Amino acid sequence: MREYRFQATSDTVEALRRLRGAWRGMAVADHEITIVLRDGQAVRVALDTADVEGLFDAYRIRAEVETSPGVFGVPVEDFIGDGNDVVLFTGVTWSEPHGAVKAEGLAEGSAMHFSGHPGQLSESAEVVCVTTDAFVVASSAGRGLLIRTGLRPGTLDVERHPDKVRAFLIERGYEG
């Protein structure tokens, strides 16, 4: 198996640390999310893409701090106070050769591509890219916000429903 890494940069980690502070609001779009902090700065979250051996694209979370975002977003009461916590999650994208996966209509020499968490990685994977594919912000009030790479390539999904955030945490083996 050939393995690549396309994980969050130190700049992204530093930007996401800012989400531990008090929020003013959040603006959500398909390809980016802007979280405006009470101090007027904002953290813009989007995706970076890597072409892995010409076989598939791998996506990682990217975040940057903006000093003058120009948006205020929708208020997010659960995160208006300080004391939020941020947890990053590792994902994997991989390819498996034709024959390792039974699928109708696959041409000889073709491959199937999958994304998931490291516990889902198949033994027959030929090429693997380890990514930072999600993060959860937990408020001091006990509410969570999940931001992850979307099912549609190049998109981000935002989930605030407590049961769905909890299910994600359990699936990823988080016991925090």
Side-chain angles (χ1 to χ4, degrees):
M1 169 176 35
R2 297 182 305 280
E3 183 177 307
Y4 298 90
R5 296 197 170 272
F6 190 57
Q7 295 178 286
T9 65
S10 59
D11 288 342
T12 288
V13 172
E14 286 304 313
L16 292 175
R17 283 188 176 136
R18 299 291 312 271
L19 299 180
R20 295 188 287 188
W23 298 12
R24 179 181 293 165
M26 179 172 66
V28 178
D30 281 347
H31 301 285
E32 68 181 27
I33 295 146
T34 303
I35 299 166
V36 182
L37 305 174
R38 189 180 303 150
D39 67 7
Q41 292 192 324
V43 176
R44 185 176 307 273
V45 179
L47 296 176
D48 280 337
T49 308
D51 179 344
V52 180
E53 291 189 11
L55 295 170
F56 58 82
D57 287 339
Y59 298 94
R60 73 175 173 197
I61 299 289
R62 174 178 41 89
E64 56 194 10
V65 177
E66 295 183 349
T67 55
S68 180
V71 298
F72 291 101
V74 176
V76 188
E77 287 94 26
D78 295 331
F79 300 94
I80 60 172
D82 288 323
N84 301 320
D85 193 18
V86 179
V87 180
L88 285 99
F89 290 91
T90 299
V92 289
T93 302
W94 70 95
S95 69
E96 295 191 17
H98 176 70
V101 177
K102 304 291 186 230
E104 205 172 302
L106 278 182
E108 191 63 39
S110 62
M112 295 275 299
H113 310 288
F114 301 90
S115 291
H117 62 80
Q120 295 172 309
L121 184 60
S122 166
E123 289 182 22
S124 59
E126 283 189 324
V127 179
V128 176
C129 187
V130 179
T131 63
T132 303
D133 70 335
F135 66 95
V136 171
V137 182
S139 75
S140 57
R143 302 291 258 163
L145 175 78
L146 165 64
I147 299 176
R148 66 186 302 180
T149 57
L151 290 177
R152 250 185 12 212
T155 63
L156 288 167
D157 288 340
V158 177
E159 183 58 62
R160 293 180 65 187
H161 191 279
D163 292 339
K164 291 182 180 181
V165 173
R166 189 176 308 108
F168 173 85
L169 293 171
I170 291 168
E171 176 184 289
R172 294 295 180 101
Y174 183 74
E175 309 258 344

